[in-house]
Amino acid sequence: MAVRTPDPDPEPDDPGLGVFGPAPSAPGANPGWLSEIELEEARRRLPMLYVEAIPVRTDGSGQVTEIGILLRSTPLGEMTRTIVSGRVRFGETIRDALFRHVENDLGPMAFPLLPPQPLPFTVAEYFPLPGVSAFHDDRQHAVSLAYVVPVTGTCEPRQDALEVTWFSPEEAASDAVAAEMEGGRGTLIRVALAHLGLLR
Amino acid sequence: MAVRTPDPDPEPDDPGLGVFGPAPSAPGANPGWLSEIELEEARRRLPMLYVEAIPVRTDGSGQVTEIGILLRSTPLGEMTRTIVSGRVRFGETIRDALFRHVENDLGPMAFPLLPPQPLPFTVAEYFPLPGVSAFHDDRQHAVSLAYVVPVTGTCEPRQDALEVTWFSPEEAASDAVAAEMEGGRGTLIRVALAHLGLLR
Amino acid sequence: MAVRTPDPDPEPDDPGLGVFGPAPSAPGANPGWLSEIELEEARRRLPMLYVEAIPVRTDGSGQVTEIGILLRSTPLGEMTRTIVSGRVRFGETIRDALFRHVENDLGPMAFPLLPPQPLPFTVAEYFPLPGVSAFHDDRQHAVSLAYVVPVTGTCEPRQDALEVTWFSPEEAASDAVAAEMEGGRGTLIRVALAHLGLLR
Amino acid sequence: MAVRTPDPDPEPDDPGLGVFGPAPSAPGANPGWLSEIELEEARRRLPMLYVEAIPVRTDGSGQVTEIGILLRSTPLGEMTRTIVSGRVRFGETIRDALFRHVENDLGPMAFPLLPPQPLPFTVAEYFPLPGVSAFHDDRQHAVSLAYVVPVTGTCEPRQDALEVTWFSPEEAASDAVAAEMEGGRGTLIRVALAHLGLLR
């Protein structure tokens, strides 16, 4: 299975540069961050910083009742499951990156409730070679700060995701779901369930 | 300053017994939990389990903007500041206890968003003798699981609290506020701010 | 399977009273804590505060390599697996209780390295009725603060434990080990492994 | 005060490349990571991933008794205080990076006990412009995973650090120490103390 950490950046009209003006050496349309070629180069030389989010539904007492997992079609037409994931840009806060990627992947009507604390529930290390950790990404070395994000609205995935499927905690922890997830993210779901007191 | 962990239990019409029926040895009106005399006795012999909640306001990205602190009048007419606090009952889950005390202290229109994860941001140990830890309660040995709880509605304190005052993170961390708080809870506020990435 | 949270207290020569002198109403041999009869009574009326510890071996970089699980013989001669577990006494800090029970269960040569932070990796809620949470204890409602404790020495279980068996993370997470553990503690092991970055 | 996140990489004889062989596009002496010029360029275009460590002394029960802070001379001869800090390399695990920088900064006889869990106590975001967060670094946008690391041996700082000064928790939290620390790391010390249950 082709396993990749999705990264829609850079977009031509990307508004999310952050607090900094153009870097002197980046005269083009997207100053301050990298062209696709430069980004490809950097991916082979530096660990990339990512944020990831597992959307959840909660009941009135805050208890998680359902886990949202994205269904996606790969360029080869394969169906895989994944979670909200994306790169942190130069000058962007982690909170802003998390909000941006949740909105990108779940649509503007998802109404996410980002956690008040900055600490992720885990740090996932993706390596190009499988086996170094539970996670891998054949394209890069990525370090991801992973969060659980309750959403209250309607998820309408944008970009290349087809839909959000809601699973019970038991289903989300199953081997069947894990086998469909890319890059070892079935493990990430289980770690999230453990953090939520929902792993059995 | 009289420093006490508030405990409104038992109330004559308390509905919160939880999942268990009457204990055989408790034939009275409040089966399964203790009379006031028995509770007083237990307080001198066993650590009591508490939950505490710091109400907060957040902005659209989940960032905490204000910290809510309760203003209360003691039986002697002194004004002190405190947070949501109360005992966990026999058979009651921590989540249910947290929800019950938040509603008791902030009123039914506060609309609290309890955290999805069960882990508190800290465990505060209150001892009858000052100095054993940062926290003390001259009435008992209490161990408190402390949570940050965003609220979106209107707080109308019930029971003996007069109002909820909203402070900026800087004000909430100040020595002035800490000096007005009972039982060492100024420290608890600062630990919460550190957890929220708001301590300077 | 008989499932009980072990509690060796009170011992006639128990030295662990803590920081407080005798309570006025407890003139007997064990002042400040409860007789067995009183403790039995309290168990049916109040949540009991526990600490639990999962002993681990680590390599030179701090990575956990093995999980220690206690093998125990029940009064009926059944063999069950469990972890370090015990009650927090009146006036005792959580750290002192954790140290006391680790030493009680692993012997004086285990050389435990208690974590520097007071926050447990999870809070486990044991209810007398199965199904309320992942954990149950037919004797009481217990709330347990659970810690991972690296040990560097030799474990010689005392009391009713027969031995400490060291498992690889994979073995410790297996259904086979979980089936032998009492009170749902197989789940606790998995939550610990998730916290340690070792769950797959 | 010149405030910089120290980064001794790349060293000519640096052995720490990690699990990967030379990248095809890096035929020179330091394949797989960046030349100083390339690194300077990347620093203005991508967030850099860092690890930081606060060395501590603990007593026999694991309680932290002292906080270690590095005293350093800047190129301009100014004295500043800082903590262990350094970049994560391409292909390197966070644990390996943490161990490498602790050894680099504290010497080979410090005998650090890295935490068994991968989660940092906080994530610190350093921005080139002051005021975006509590932390800043005029050279780059760095995101740092910060850990508390008990050390049992003798610290002999290498590189440009002059010594490790051991402070009591009260001293370490003081405004005087914070004023001497670079990049806002006085805040990081306070967040660590809150995490350790030592903030008042």
Side-chain angles (χ1 to χ4, degrees):
Chain A
M1 183 191 300
V3 287
R4 301 202 151 197
T5 307
D7 192 311
D9 309 336
E11 303 157 2
D13 57 348
D14 193 302
L17 176 63
V19 298
F20 301 101
S25 59
N30 298 324
W33 37 268
L34 305 174
S35 72
E36 283 208 46
I37 290 173
E38 289 168 319
L39 188 59
E40 281 309 303
E41 184 63 22
R43 283 186 204 285
R44 293 187 303 190
R45 313 288 280 280
L46 284 174
M48 295 286 118
L49 183 66
Y50 270 68
V51 287
E52 297 193 284
I54 299 178
V56 298
R57 298 281 191 200
T58 58
D59 67 15
S61 74
Q63 180 85 47
V64 170
T65 55
E66 291 181 310
I67 312 291
I69 301 182
L70 294 165
L71 185 64
R72 208 166 57 141
S73 175
T74 70
L76 298 176
E78 266 186 305
M79 304 298 280
T80 66
R81 294 196 187 277
T82 190
I83 57 173
V84 174
S85 181
R87 197 162 64 80
V88 180
R89 290 187 183 138
F90 182 83
E92 187 180 41
T93 67
I94 289 167
R95 183 172 293 279
D96 286 347
L98 189 59
F99 192 88
R100 177 168 62 86
H101 287 294
V102 167
E103 192 175 52
N104 265 356
D105 284 358
L106 301 185
M109 304 303 287
F111 300 137
L113 301 166
L114 299 200
Q117 72 279 3
L119 200 65
F121 72 84
T122 201
V123 176
E125 302 180 69
Y126 293 82
F127 291 100
L129 288 184
V132 180
S133 74
F135 309 103
H136 77 286
D137 180 340
D138 56 14
R139 199 178 46 160
Q140 64 186 338
H141 173 195
V143 172
S144 158
L145 309 179
Y147 298 86
V148 169
V149 177
V151 296
T152 60
T154 307
C155 295
E156 296 167 344
R158 300 198 297 190
Q159 308 203 40
D160 56 354
L162 299 183
E163 64 162 39
V164 175
T165 315
W166 295 100
F167 292 98
S168 71
E170 293 72 26
E171 291 168 334
S174 69
D175 289 341
V177 167
E180 293 179 350
M181 297 200 72
E182 52 179 17
R185 288 193 182 84
T187 293
L188 203 60
I189 298 287
R190 288 171 182 167
V191 173
L193 290 168
H195 169 72
L196 295 169
L198 294 173
L199 191 76
R200 295 299 164 100
Chain B
M1 183 191 299
V3 287
R4 303 204 149 195
T5 308
D7 192 310
D9 309 336
E11 305 157 2
D13 58 348
D14 192 302
L17 175 62
V19 299
F20 302 102
S25 59
N30 299 322
W33 37 267
L34 306 174
S35 72
E36 282 209 47
I37 289 173
E38 290 169 318
L39 188 58
E40 280 309 303
E41 185 64 22
R43 282 187 205 285
R44 293 187 303 189
R45 312 288 279 281
L46 284 174
M48 295 286 118
L49 183 66
Y50 271 68
V51 287
E52 297 193 283
I54 300 177
V56 299
R57 299 281 191 198
T58 58
D59 66 15
S61 73
Q63 181 84 49
V64 169
T65 54
E66 291 180 310
I67 312 291
I69 300 181
L70 295 165
L71 185 64
R72 206 165 58 140
S73 175
T74 69
L76 297 177
E78 267 185 303
M79 305 298 280
T80 67
R81 294 196 187 276
T82 190
I83 56 172
V84 174
S85 180
R87 199 163 62 80
V88 180
R89 289 188 184 139
F90 181 82
E92 186 180 41
T93 66
I94 290 166
R95 184 172 293 279
D96 286 347
L98 190 59
F99 192 88
R100 177 169 61 87
H101 288 294
V102 167
E103 192 174 53
N104 266 357
D105 284 358
L106 301 184
M109 303 303 288
F111 301 136
L113 302 164
L114 299 199
Q117 72 279 0
L119 200 65
F121 72 85
T122 200
V123 176
E125 303 180 69
Y126 293 84
F127 291 101
L129 288 185
V132 180
S133 74
F135 309 104
H136 78 285
D137 180 339
D138 57 13
R139 198 179 45 159
Q140 63 186 340
H141 173 195
V143 172
S144 157
L145 309 178
Y147 299 86
V148 169
V149 177
V151 296
T152 60
T154 307
C155 295
E156 295 166 347
R158 301 198 297 189
Q159 307 202 41
D160 56 353
L162 300 182
E163 65 163 39
V164 176
T165 315
W166 296 100
F167 290 98
S168 71
E170 293 71 26
E171 291 167 334
S174 69
D175 289 340
V177 168
E180 293 179 349
M181 297 200 73
E182 53 180 16
R185 287 191 182 84
T187 292
L188 204 60
I189 298 287
R190 288 171 183 169
V191 173
L193 290 168
H195 168 73
L196 294 169
L198 294 174
L199 190 77
R200 295 300 164 101
Chain C
M1 182 190 300
V3 286
R4 301 201 152 198
T5 308
D7 191 312
D9 308 339
E11 303 156 4
D13 57 349
D14 194 302
L17 175 63
V19 298
F20 301 103
S25 59
N30 298 324
W33 37 267
L34 306 174
S35 72
E36 283 208 47
I37 290 173
E38 290 169 316
L39 188 59
E40 281 309 303
E41 184 64 22
R43 282 189 205 283
R44 293 187 303 190
R45 312 289 280 282
L46 285 174
M48 295 286 118
L49 183 66
Y50 270 67
V51 288
E52 297 193 283
I54 300 178
V56 298
R57 300 281 192 198
T58 58
D59 67 15
S61 74
Q63 181 85 49
V64 169
T65 53
E66 291 180 312
I67 312 291
I69 300 182
L70 294 165
L71 185 64
R72 208 166 57 140
S73 175
T74 70
L76 297 176
E78 268 185 303
M79 305 297 281
T80 67
R81 294 196 187 278
T82 191
I83 57 173
V84 174
S85 181
R87 198 162 64 80
V88 179
R89 288 189 185 138
F90 181 83
E92 187 180 39
T93 67
I94 289 166
R95 184 171 294 279
D96 286 347
L98 190 59
F99 192 88
R100 178 170 61 86
H101 288 294
V102 167
E103 192 174 52
N104 265 356
D105 284 357
L106 302 184
M109 304 302 287
F111 301 136
L113 302 166
L114 299 199
Q117 73 279 3
L119 199 65
F121 72 84
T122 201
V123 176
E125 302 180 70
Y126 293 83
F127 292 100
L129 287 184
V132 180
S133 74
F135 309 103
H136 77 286
D137 180 340
D138 57 13
R139 200 179 43 160
Q140 63 186 340
H141 173 197
V143 172
S144 157
L145 309 179
Y147 298 86
V148 169
V149 177
V151 296
T152 60
T154 307
C155 295
E156 296 166 344
R158 301 198 296 190
Q159 309 203 38
D160 57 353
L162 299 182
E163 64 163 38
V164 176
T165 314
W166 295 100
F167 291 98
S168 72
E170 292 73 25
E171 292 168 333
S174 70
D175 289 340
V177 167
E180 292 179 351
M181 297 200 73
E182 54 179 16
R185 287 193 181 83
T187 292
L188 204 60
I189 298 287
R190 288 172 183 167
V191 173
L193 290 168
H195 169 73
L196 294 169
L198 294 174
L199 190 77
R200 294 299 164 103
Chain D
M1 184 192 301
V3 286
R4 301 203 150 198
T5 307
D7 192 310
D9 309 335
E11 305 157 3
D13 57 349
D14 192 302
L17 176 62
V19 299
F20 301 102
S25 60
N30 298 324
W33 36 267
L34 306 173
S35 72
E36 283 208 45
I37 289 173
E38 290 169 317
L39 188 60
E40 280 309 303
E41 184 64 22
R43 282 187 206 284
R44 293 187 303 190
R45 312 288 279 283
L46 284 174
M48 296 284 118
L49 183 66
Y50 270 67
V51 288
E52 296 192 286
I54 300 177
V56 299
R57 299 281 191 199
T58 59
D59 66 15
S61 73
Q63 181 84 48
V64 169
T65 54
E66 291 179 311
I67 312 291
I69 300 181
L70 294 164
L71 185 64
R72 208 165 58 140
S73 175
T74 70
L76 297 177
E78 268 185 303
M79 306 298 281
T80 67
R81 295 195 187 278
T82 191
I83 57 173
V84 174
S85 181
R87 198 162 63 80
V88 179
R89 289 187 184 140
F90 181 83
E92 186 179 41
T93 67
I94 290 166
R95 184 172 293 279
D96 286 347
L98 189 59
F99 192 87
R100 177 168 62 87
H101 288 294
V102 167
E103 192 174 52
N104 265 357
D105 283 359
L106 301 184
M109 304 303 287
F111 301 135
L113 301 166
L114 299 199
Q117 72 279 2
L119 201 64
F121 72 85
T122 202
V123 176
E125 302 180 69
Y126 293 83
F127 291 101
L129 288 185
V132 179
S133 74
F135 309 102
H136 77 285
D137 180 340
D138 57 14
R139 199 179 45 159
Q140 63 186 340
H141 173 196
V143 172
S144 157
L145 309 178
Y147 299 86
V148 168
V149 177
V151 296
T152 60
T154 306
C155 295
E156 296 166 346
R158 301 196 297 189
Q159 308 203 40
D160 56 353
L162 298 182
E163 65 163 38
V164 176
T165 315
W166 295 100
F167 291 98
S168 72
E170 292 73 25
E171 291 167 333
S174 70
D175 289 340
V177 167
E180 293 179 350
M181 297 201 72
E182 53 180 16
R185 287 191 182 84
T187 292
L188 204 59
I189 298 288
R190 288 171 183 168
V191 173
L193 290 168
H195 169 72
L196 295 169
L198 294 173
L199 190 76
R200 294 300 164 101

